[in-house]
């Protein structure tokens, strides 16, 4: 807590004495120049030299005998952005004291409000006293104290103070926060910039749960300070209970570090440390962690979790904004084995595949540049690290440019891609009778350049024509070991290759608007035709970035439907479809699309065999494609439906379907998604795949929500993943507890189930136990 959010702990002093009495009441002392000329301590207010006093009261009396100035009845004072309201304000010239009384309300320029019944100040503003204080800050926190005083111009003391956050109070004054901090005395020192809490108690539900005889923390002027942070707690099946106590080091204004000793009941001591260095245009972090496992035998036999005792990681991240257009950075990780960071859930490095990269990118008004180098760390507990050695090690360069001025009345754009790939081990997969080669051993380099020109014409009657011309060229370096005898295609064994593609295209759209008394409808027939030569060297070249795609309504009208540059759609093809959008006054919206694609001439690229059978069973491998369609419905009652499907061109049998139905209102959010993919034996999937995903969240009381998710494999009757959680969130206090179960037959994770919990106090900090997120629920 010592190095966490400290500003709120000293807000009493800052808001009350530094701003309230010393500033607002100063002009009544008839010596306003003093507020500008004296050497004010850090806790004293800051009044602009040109500030003028505005005073309003029902009665203003000066008593010559007693030498007192009294403002009485609905007193209002405005000075230097500060506002004061009181029933009476008295200045005693003999004693040099100011005294305000009766329903005092003070508003700072920042918007903080202070309420009191009595307020006394010396005319040099060094000392003061107030009774019955209540403070409401702009960040919706509340502070109350029996009394408070400022001593020697540098110490502010609150007696029997209570602090809490209360965001809901802005709309519900009767709301009571679940927690509060009470202290017998709170002392802020303006010289040392510290706040000392004496006999402090942290209470939840009105009961004390933590006690500190003396706790000293930095005040709000100190942004960082060395000290202990909130502990971190986690429980996992094969790790046991883990407790980590972070210690924060404020090394310098531009450097800090956090060291976290962790103890796991089943695996022993893990040390985790992170160092951060800030520059004027960026930030660099360095992280290291390690453990010598005491009970590796609890992990599954034959995994790196069990076979490696001494485990560790070193990682670095950097991000620099060179100038407004150019950025440079990196994300790098190295570990002793391929599953350490995932098993111990090290933040930022616990994904199934960790992407290491170095990048340089630039963004202009009409161009884009991106240069990257990657290495993919596969965390799967395989001691032989086969999957990682089969991963590509790519370097890519992408550049796009759009001409600033029209060319022949149309838009001219250029695209350049340079990709170099190296791989340590052949990636060959046999599924049924089909062989696929996602990656060949060796290296390849491809340089691609493309120019595209297109222009839109609208003819009388509303018909829209868009002609298109494109030219592309590729040059390749080939240094890969050819696939083995299982490959049925003709692989090019030369050391280099070139290819090109020329395209002439035309799109025609005819939007038709239909209106009724309570609705409007737009029907839009769309037709495209692209004339091209055949794809050169189809199936004879490596395919790294165009291995998988889904033919559906979203890409029906794409000029090239392959997902990357390694494959090119060739031959003459036509795409036909009908779009519909309907809007109803009652709040309903309908949208749909239906269409089909046709190979008119030349060789069908999707019927050409390649290393991964990318076009096989895609629905595009025949001269006339499968039918694709999508339908979406939004209703004002909270229901929504989205349906996307691909139907066989001959018998209309279902080849692929994605259906999602959802409901949302102020209490319930729920969605169910059903995905069906028919068998694709040529692509490598011999059986149908049917999966059902459900998510739901029910707010059953104010601030309380129960939520859960489940993923069910209908073909194997396996509940692949499930979880349930409950959370309380009133914006000041967040409490969550989540249980998640994962049935992973591939043994890529060490823990089959886990429990996570989170307790967060706004303005104070968080206590986390494991992970409290479920699939589909990023907000809980």
């Amino acid at each position: 807590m010592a190095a966490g959010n400290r500003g709120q702990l000293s807000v009493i002093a800052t808001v009350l004495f530094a701003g309230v009495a010393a500033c607002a009441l100063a002009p009544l002392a008839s010596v306003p120049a003093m507020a500008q000329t004296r050497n004010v301590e850090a806790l004293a207010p800051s009044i602009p030299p040109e500030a003028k006093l505005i005073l309003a009261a029902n009665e203003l009396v000066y008593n010559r005998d007693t030498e007192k100035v009294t403002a009485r009845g609905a007193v209002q004072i405005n000075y230097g952005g500060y506002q004061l309201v009181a029933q009476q304000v008295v200045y005693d010239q003999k004693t040099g004291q100011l005294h305000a009384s009766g329903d005092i309300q003070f508003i700072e320029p920042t918007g903080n409000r202070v309420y009191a019944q009595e307020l006394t100040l010396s005319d040099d503003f060094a000392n003061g006293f107030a009774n019955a204080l209540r403070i409401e800050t702009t960040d919706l926190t509340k502070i109350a104290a029996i009394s408070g005083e400022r001593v020697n111009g540098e110490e502010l003391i609150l007696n029997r103070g209570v602090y809490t956050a209360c965001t809901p109070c802005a709309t519900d004054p009767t709301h009571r926060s679940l927690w509060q901090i009470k202290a017998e005395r709170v002392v802020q020192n303006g010289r040392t910039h510290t706040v000392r809490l004496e006999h402090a108690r942290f209470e939840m539900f009105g009961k004390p749960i933590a006690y500190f005889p003396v706790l000293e923390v930095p005040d709000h002027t100190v942004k960082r300070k060395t000290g202990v942070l909130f502990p971190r707690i986690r429980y996992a099946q094969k790790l046991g209970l883990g407790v980590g106590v972070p210690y924060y080091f404020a090394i310098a204004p531009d450097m800090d570090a956090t060291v976290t000793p962790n103890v796991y009941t089943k695996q022993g001591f893990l040390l985790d440390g992170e160092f951060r260095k800030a520059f004027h245009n960026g930030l660099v972090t360095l992280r290291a962690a390690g453990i010598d496992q005491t009970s590796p035998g609890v992990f599954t036999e034959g995994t790196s979790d069990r076979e490696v005792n001494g485990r560790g990681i070193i990682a670095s991240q950097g991000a620099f904004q060179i100038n407004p257009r150019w950025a440079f950075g990196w994300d790098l990780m190295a570990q002793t084995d391929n599953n350490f960071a995932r098993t111990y859930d090290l933040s930022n490095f616990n994904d199934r595949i960790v992407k290491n990269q170095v990048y340089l990118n630039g963004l202009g008004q009409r161009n884009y540049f991106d240069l990257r180098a990657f290495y993919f760390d596969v965390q799967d507990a395989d001691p032989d690290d086969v999957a990682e050695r089969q991963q590509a090690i790519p370097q890519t360069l992408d550049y796009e440019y759009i001409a600033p001025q029209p060319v022949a009345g149309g838009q001219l754009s250029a695209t350049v891609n340079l990709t170099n790939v190296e791989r340590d081990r052949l990636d060959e997969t046999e599924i049924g009778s089909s062989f696929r080669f996602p990656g060949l051993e060796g290296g390849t380099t491809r340089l691609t350049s493309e120019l595209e020109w297109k222009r839109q014409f609208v003819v009388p009657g509303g018909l829209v024509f868009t002609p298109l011309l494109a030219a592309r060229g590729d040059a390749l370096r080939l240094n890969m070991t050819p696939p083995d005898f299982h490959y049925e295609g003709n692989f090019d064994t030369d050391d280099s290759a070139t290819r090109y593609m020329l395209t002439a295209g035309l799109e025609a759209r005819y939007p038709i608007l239909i209106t009724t008394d309570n609705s409007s409808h737009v029907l839009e027939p769309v037709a495209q035709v692209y004339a091209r030569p055949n794809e050169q060297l189809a199936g004879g070249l490596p395919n790294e970035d165009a291995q998988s795609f889904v033919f559906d309504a979203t890409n029906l009208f794409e000029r090239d439907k392959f997902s990357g540059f390694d494959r090119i759609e060739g031959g003459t093809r036509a795409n036909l479809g009908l779009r519909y959008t309907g809007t109803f006054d009652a709040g309903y919206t309908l949208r749909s699309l239906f269409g089909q694609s046709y190979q008119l001439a030349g060789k069908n690229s999707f019927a050409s065999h390649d290393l991964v059978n990318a076009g096989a069973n895609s629905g595009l491998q025949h001269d006339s494609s499968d039918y694709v369609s999508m339908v979406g419905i939004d209703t004002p009652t909270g229901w929504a439906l989205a349906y996307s499907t691909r139907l066989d061109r001959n018998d209309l049998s279902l080849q692929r379907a994605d259906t999602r139905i959802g409901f949302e209102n102020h209490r319930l959010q729920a969605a169910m998604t059903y995905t069906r993919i028919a068998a694709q034996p040529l692509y490598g999937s011999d059986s149908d795949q049917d999966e059902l995903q459900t998510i739901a969240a029910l707010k059953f009381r104010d601030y309380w929500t129960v939520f859960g998710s489940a993923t069910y494999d209908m073909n194997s009757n396996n509940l692949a993943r499930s979880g349930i959680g409950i959370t309380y969130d009133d914006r000041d206090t967040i409490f969550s507890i989540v249980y998640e179960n994962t049935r992973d037959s591939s043994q890529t994770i060490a823990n089959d189930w886990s429990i996570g919990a989170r307790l967060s106090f706004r303005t104070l900090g968080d206590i986390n136990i494991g992970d409290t997120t479920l699939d589909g629920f990023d907000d809980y």
Side-chain angles (χ1 to χ4, degrees):
M1 185 182 297
N5 296 320
R6 304 168 175 45
Q8 301 305 323
L9 296 175
S10 60
V11 72
I12 299 174
T14 304
V15 174
L16 177 61
F17 295 106
V20 181
C23 295
L25 300 183
L28 295 181
S30 301
V31 285
M34 184 178 296
Q36 288 85 35
T37 58
R38 69 179 267 107
N39 183 20
V40 184
E41 295 288 346
L43 296 181
S46 176
I47 301 294
E50 68 279 4
K52 295 182 179 180
L53 169 68
I54 300 176
L55 169 64
N58 293 339
E59 183 181 7
L60 185 63
V61 178
Y62 175 64
N63 190 318
R64 292 181 182 274
D65 296 332
T66 61
E67 298 186 42
K68 291 183 179 181
V69 181
T70 303
R72 186 179 296 117
V75 181
Q76 298 184 39
I77 300 173
N78 289 272
Y79 184 56
Y82 295 86
Q83 302 176 46
L84 175 70
V85 175
Q87 291 299 315
Q88 179 173 284
V89 176
V90 178
Y91 172 58
D92 189 332
Q93 290 180 310
K94 291 181 178 180
T95 62
Q97 287 188 333
L98 308 172
H99 182 77
S101 60
D103 298 328
I104 300 169
Q105 181 179 163
F106 179 79
I107 304 175
E108 277 194 318
T110 59
N112 294 327
R113 294 174 179 266
V114 180
Y115 304 89
Q117 289 301 315
E118 289 187 84
L119 182 64
T120 301
L121 244 236
S122 62
D123 61 1
D124 63 357
F125 319 127
N127 304 306
F129 180 83
N131 274 330
L133 309 176
R134 181 166 56 90
I135 305 168
E136 297 178 0
T137 68
T138 54
D139 65 349
L140 301 177
T141 60
K142 289 187 173 183
I143 304 158
I146 297 298
S147 63
E149 61 180 322
R150 188 170 73 180
V151 181
N152 299 325
E154 66 176 29
E155 271 197 345
L156 305 179
I157 303 172
L158 291 176
N159 299 305
R160 299 180 66 182
V162 179
Y163 167 80
T164 189
C166 194
T167 301
C169 295
T171 55
D172 180 11
T174 64
H175 179 81
R176 295 293 178 266
S177 180
L178 296 186
W179 60 270
Q180 61 185 9
I181 298 175
K182 291 183 177 180
E184 290 299 318
R185 289 214 320 166
V186 180
V187 181
Q188 182 186 19
N189 191 302
R191 178 174 50 81
T192 62
H193 300 287
T194 58
V195 176
R196 186 175 74 251
L197 292 87
E198 300 176 358
H199 300 290
R201 301 186 305 277
F202 183 84
E203 297 182 353
M204 284 195 70
F205 302 103
K207 303 296 182 181
I209 62 173
Y211 171 75
F212 303 95
V214 177
L215 179 64
E216 187 169 276
V217 298
D219 68 12
H220 73 290
T221 64
V222 179
K223 302 303 180 184
R224 306 177 307 139
K225 186 175 177 64
T226 298
V228 178
L229 303 178
F230 273 105
R232 301 172 183 173
I233 305 172
R234 182 192 179 202
Y235 187 84
Q237 179 187 12
K238 297 174 183 178
L239 305 181
L241 177 65
V243 179
V245 182
Y247 194 88
Y248 177 80
F249 294 89
I251 302 171
D254 59 344
M255 287 189 294
D256 60 16
T258 305
V259 176
T260 307
N262 298 269
V263 176
Y264 289 91
T265 55
K266 292 186 179 180
Q267 298 302 334
F269 178 75
L270 183 149
L271 184 63
D272 186 1
E274 185 175 61
F275 169 81
R276 294 167 290 271
K277 166 69 175 176
F279 299 86
H280 73 281
N281 62 345
L283 177 69
V284 173
T285 66
L286 179 64
R287 185 173 179 183
I291 188 173
D292 186 8
Q293 297 182 146
T294 57
S295 301
V298 302
F299 293 108
T300 304
E301 187 175 356
T303 64
S304 57
D305 292 303
R306 180 166 181 162
E307 295 183 2
V308 182
N309 291 347
R311 312 177 73 180
I313 180 180
I314 184 168
S316 177
Q317 294 176 308
F320 291 87
Q321 193 67 39
I322 301 172
N323 58 39
R325 293 189 176 185
W326 288 91
F328 169 71
W330 65 85
D331 294 280
L332 302 173
M333 180 194 77
Q335 53 184 343
T336 54
D337 62 273
N338 62 351
N339 211 37
F340 169 60
R342 192 179 187 210
T343 297
Y344 285 89
D345 196 26
L346 301 183
S347 60
N348 300 325
F349 304 102
N350 52 4
D351 292 336
R352 169 73 168 81
I353 298 178
V354 176
K355 180 174 66 176
N356 295 266
Q357 64 173 327
V358 179
Y359 64 87
L360 171 68
N361 60 50
L363 179 63
Q365 292 183 346
R366 305 186 70 85
N367 57 2
Y368 172 75
F369 175 91
D370 187 90
L371 177 65
R372 292 178 186 264
F374 298 92
Y375 182 85
F376 298 97
D377 194 315
V378 180
Q379 302 196 87
D380 60 0
D382 176 11
D384 296 327
D385 222 2
V386 173
E388 185 168 320
R389 295 176 60 192
Q390 291 175 338
Q391 284 287 313
I393 306 175
Q395 302 87 44
T396 64
L397 182 151
D398 288 284
Y399 179 76
E400 296 182 7
Y401 173 79
I402 300 175
Q405 301 297 328
V407 176
Q411 177 181 283
L412 180 67
S413 61
T415 300
V416 177
N417 174 264
L418 175 64
T419 299
N420 181 76
V421 173
E422 303 292 333
R423 182 177 281 101
D424 181 57
R425 180 168 177 165
L426 170 69
D427 186 1
E428 179 181 8
T429 304
E430 179 183 3
I431 303 178
S433 59
S434 177
F435 286 86
R436 303 176 75 239
F437 299 85
L440 300 178
E441 181 180 347
T444 182
T445 304
R446 173 185 43 74
L447 174 63
T448 298
S449 299
E450 183 177 61
L451 287 174
E452 181 189 77
W453 175 90
K454 60 183 178 181
R455 181 179 179 181
Q456 187 178 93
F457 297 90
V458 180
V459 302
L463 187 61
V464 181
F465 288 102
T466 305
L468 176 145
L469 297 173
R472 167 177 165 169
D474 296 84
L476 296 98
R477 173 191 70 91
L478 302 172
N479 188 27
M480 288 184 163
T481 303
D484 58 30
F485 64 92
H486 293 122
Y487 183 54
E488 300 176 3
N490 297 317
F491 190 78
D492 187 359
T493 58
D494 293 337
D495 294 335
S496 62
T498 60
R499 63 182 179 180
Y500 70 91
M501 179 60 67
L502 301 175
T503 303
L506 179 66
E507 178 186 85
R509 298 183 292 112
Y510 188 58
I512 303 170
L513 175 63
I514 303 171
T515 60
T516 67
D517 291 341
N518 55 11
S519 65
S520 62
H521 311 265
V522 178
L523 288 170
E524 187 179 37
V526 182
Q528 295 175 330
V529 61
Y530 295 110
R532 298 168 289 214
N534 293 335
E535 179 187 7
Q536 297 175 309
L537 299 173
L541 299 174
N543 180 4
E544 294 285 350
D545 67 356
Q547 295 190 1
S548 175
F549 74 98
V550 175
F551 174 50
D552 58 19
T554 62
N555 57 16
L556 170 64
F557 297 114
E558 293 290 332
R559 172 165 62 91
D560 192 330
K561 297 178 179 61
F562 282 112
S563 57
F565 291 97
D566 285 338
R567 291 296 306 273
I568 309 174
E569 187 175 338
T572 300
R573 178 174 289 275
N575 304 311
L576 300 178
L578 177 66
R579 290 194 185 103
Y580 165 75
T581 302
T583 305
F584 298 82
D585 293 346
Y588 292 86
T589 301
L590 302 178
R591 59 191 181 278
S592 66
L593 189 151
F594 178 83
Q596 190 176 23
S597 184
Y598 304 89
Q599 187 76 22
L600 302 180
K603 187 176 181 180
N604 187 346
S605 294
F606 300 100
S608 302
H609 196 89
D610 75 352
L611 291 170
V612 293
N613 294 338
N617 303 122
S618 66
L620 289 164
Q621 70 272 24
H622 302 289
D623 289 344
S624 58
S625 75
D626 289 347
Y627 297 99
V628 292
S629 65
M630 60 82 63
V631 176
I633 303 173
D634 297 313
T635 73
T637 59
W639 289 96
L641 171 68
Y643 179 71
S644 175
T645 184
R646 176 164 65 87
L647 304 175
D648 186 86
R649 64 192 181 94
N650 293 321
D651 59 8
L652 300 181
S653 60
L654 188 64
Q655 298 300 303
R656 184 183 181 100
D658 292 280
T659 307
R660 178 182 174 88
I661 184 170
F663 176 80
E664 181 176 353
N665 62 17
H666 68 288
R667 287 199 174 273
L668 175 65
Q669 300 177 38
M672 179 179 294
T673 303
Y674 169 68
T675 301
R676 174 178 173 79
I677 305 175
Q680 299 173 283
L682 296 178
Y683 185 67
S685 178
D686 286 336
S687 60
D688 296 342
Q689 299 178 52
D690 297 87
E691 185 178 85
L692 187 65
Q693 294 179 315
T694 61
I695 60 173
L698 175 64
K699 188 174 183 179
F700 59 92
R701 288 188 60 185
D702 289 344
Y703 313 122
W704 285 97
T705 302
V706 61
F707 57 97
S709 68
T711 300
Y712 181 68
D713 186 341
M714 301 174 68
N715 301 101
S716 60
N717 294 323
N718 176 37
L719 189 62
R721 181 183 293 270
S722 61
I724 189 170
I726 187 170
T727 185
Y728 172 91
D729 183 359
D730 66 4
R731 292 173 290 174
D732 292 323
T733 308
I734 300 175
F735 167 74
S736 297
I737 186 167
V738 172
Y739 169 81
E740 187 169 19
N741 194 328
T742 302
R743 293 172 175 82
D744 182 21
S745 59
S746 64
Q747 297 181 349
T748 63
I749 61 173
N751 303 288
D752 297 331
W753 57 267
S754 63
I755 296 176
R758 175 190 179 194
L759 184 58
S760 174
F761 306 105
R762 187 173 72 87
T763 74
L764 297 181
D766 295 350
I767 299 175
N768 292 291
I769 304 175
D771 188 7
T772 57
T773 60
L774 289 177
D775 285 347
F777 287 101
D778 296 334
D779 297 333
Y780 292 95

